[in-house]
Amino acid sequence: MTGSTGPVRDASPSVPTSPTPTTPPAEPTIGDTVHDTARDRVGIVMAHQGPCLQLRPLGGGREWDADPAHVRPPSPAELLSAQLAEVNARSRQQI
């Protein structure tokens, strides 16, 4: 009887894979919409002040400082959520 003696193994030697080099993310410019991961907020870059970025909520309001190391482009879901929150806030003020 011919049969399997166990799991089939690849005879090729294991080749360690190194991480693919990536380019560092571009520094956001004034007017870019970004996600501040430290505060879990989406805002618009208004200025660069020293080592920090000045961000403002999408609908306007008080700016806050953000560390560029904690800022990234928002995902489509994060951007949509922030925009929807702004529309809802405006609709409550019109009453």
Side-chain angles (χ1 to χ4, degrees):
M1 177 172 154
T2 60
S4 176
T5 59
V8 177
R9 296 188 184 178
D10 186 5
S12 63
S14 175
V15 178
T17 58
S18 61
T20 357
T22 58
T23 57
E27 182 78 18
T29 59
I30 295 174
D32 286 350
T33 302
V34 296
H35 182 257
D36 178 1
T37 58
R39 294 184 185 222
D40 195 26
R41 294 179 70 186
V42 174
I44 299 170
V45 177
M46 301 305 290
H48 296 265
Q49 291 290 326
C52 294
L53 295 173
Q54 293 277 301
L55 304 181
R56 178 171 284 169
L58 295 181
R62 176 174 249 156
E63 293 181 358
W64 75 93
D65 290 335
D67 181 349
H70 295 119
V71 169
R72 62 170 172 76
S75 70
E78 290 166 337
L79 182 57
L80 182 62
S81 179
Q83 290 170 330
L84 182 59
E86 171 53 32
V87 169
N88 286 338
R90 266 189 282 144
S91 72
R92 285 190 294 269
Q93 291 175 355
Q94 292 178 359
I95 295 176

